Amino acid sequence: QSTYRGLNSKKPPKSKWEKTQGNALRQGSSWRGSRLLVALLLVALSACGTATWLYVTSLDSDITETLVSQGELVSPQPRVYSVQCSEDYDNYKRYPGCTPQKCGRAVTDGVVTREEAQTLRRLAERGLALAGSEGGASILDLHSGALSMGKQFVNVYRYFGEQLKDVFTQEDFQLYRDVRGRIQEVIAQTFGLDPALMYLTKPTFFSRINSTAAKTQHDEYWHPHIDKVTYGSFDYTSLLYLSDYGSDFTGGRFVFMDQNGNRTVEPRAGRVSFFSSGSENLHRVEKVTWGTRYAITVSFTCDPEHAISDPALPRGIHG
């Protein structure tokens, strides 16, 4: 007799135990499926979290070494870190007595006093209060007169003219020149140069950075770069900090990006950080997350054709 049952044949009714077991099996199968789905979601979330963590730490939290912290006082001698000069210098004209023969980076708190830094900061505050960028980064260049205004730049001397009598003084400019000379001298001593063969070059400027979102490319100060590539004329770069990391602002540390890790300098009012401008010193600035960071970039070239003069108040403007 055939055991085949046709479509219309009826199965015998299930017992209560069979029905209960079937329901339990279905519920168990459903639970196992849900558990698998939850597990997969957890794995996916974990992977996303790990990727996000790696991305964030690769930006601002991957400091391998703090070269100088804000609380340290590096004086009277600079703290010097030697690095091998890049091969880039073979592609540039050499100027004996100036072109880097040894490369590196250094930090000193013994060249500019905190009181002098505060005076220069007030100068920057007054000048930048005239206008300023819509984004987070504003500059004031006393040499060219360039001042951030909205999404562009204006010449502060031509645009504001007589108003500057209440903003700048001859004493401000004299201090600026004195400080520039001292920075030039310490760079020459540290790298074994003839200071008479070093020339101030552009851009040399005050910067004010806060956490406001960038509005133009000029506001995006945080990208890694090489000064010799970006500016061409630079051979030695220096930064004079006018405010303190941790109390005046957070974020905003200066980061050297080496192949074996990042090394940072924490700003301190009156601190001067300086370095050879080639690709041996690839660097960036962290995004400022709170407060306002003030600094002066003072740059030097070995090429006399790219030299600029110290700034001076135009005739008729005497604060």
Side-chain angles (χ1 to χ4, degrees), residues 233-300:
S233 64
F234 281 32
D235 287 297
Y236 300 94
T237 307
S238 71
L239 292 133
L240 167 58
Y241 296 110
L242 307 179
S243 47
D244 291 316
Y245 169 76
S247 56
D248 293 321
F249 63 92
T250 54
R253 294 178 294 182
F254 188 96
V255 183
F256 290 105
M257 303 175 68
D258 298 328
Q259 288 186 344
N260 61 347
N262 291 344
R263 291 170 173 83
T264 188
V265 174
E266 295 181 354
R268 172 189 172 94
R271 172 166 291 168
V272 178
S273 174
F274 56 94
F275 50 93
S276 50
S277 304
S279 61
E280 67 277 357
N281 279 315
L282 172 69
H283 61 274
R284 63 183 171 87
V285 174
E286 291 178 325
K287 289 185 178 182
V288 170
T289 53
W290 170 85
T292 305
R293 176 191 192 267
Y294 286 91
I296 311 176
T297 297
V298 184
S299 45
F300 297 93

Side-chain angles (χ1 to χ4, degrees), residues 85-94 99:
C85 291
S86 68
E87 297 177 357
D88 303 352
Y89 294 101
D90 295 336
N91 301 320
Y92 299 111
K93 182 178 178 180
R94 290 187 173 273
T99 296

Side-chain angles (χ1 to χ4, degrees), residues 6-70:
L7 291 175
N8 292 324
S9 62
K10 294 183 180 180
K11 296 180 182 179
K14 291 183 178 180
S15 67
K16 185 176 181 181
W17 179 86
E18 287 176 319
K19 289 180 181 178
T20 303
Q21 186 185 45
N23 289 335
L25 288 172
R26 283 192 295 275
Q27 290 172 356
S29 175
S30 176
W31 182 83
R32 282 193 296 272
S34 299
R35 184 172 60 173
L36 179 61
L37 181 61
V38 170
L40 289 172
L41 284 171
L42 288 173
V43 169
L45 288 170
S46 176
C48 288
T50 301
T52 301
W53 179 82
L54 288 172
Y55 176 73
V56 170
T57 55
S58 71
L59 293 177
D60 288 344
S61 303
D62 55 352
I63 304 304
T64 304
E65 181 183 359
T66 298
L67 295 181
V68 185
S69 68
Q70 189 279 331

Side-chain angles (χ1 to χ4, degrees), residues 165-240:
K165 288 181 178 180
D166 301 320
V167 179
F168 301 139
T169 68
Q170 293 290 359
E171 290 75 20
D172 290 333
F173 278 63
Q174 185 59 53
L175 175 60
Y176 183 94
R177 290 190 289 268
D178 290 346
V179 164
R180 188 275 305 160
R182 279 181 255 158
I183 292 173
Q184 185 166 341
E185 189 66 36
V186 74
I187 293 174
Q189 290 175 355
T190 301
F191 287 103
L193 314 173
D194 182 346
L197 299 176
M198 295 170 60
Y199 307 95
L200 192 66
T201 193
K202 62 180 180 182
T204 286
F205 57 93
F206 288 90
S207 60
R208 181 187 69 192
I209 303 174
N210 58 38
S211 59
T212 304
K215 298 294 191 297
T216 71
Q217 187 177 359
H218 297 297
D219 298 320
E220 297 182 9
Y221 57 85
W222 54 82
H223 297 296
H225 64 278
I226 299 162
D227 285 349
K228 187 70 176 171
V229 174
T230 303
Y231 300 111
S233 64
F234 281 32
D235 287 297
Y236 300 94
T237 307
S238 71
L239 292 133
L240 167 58

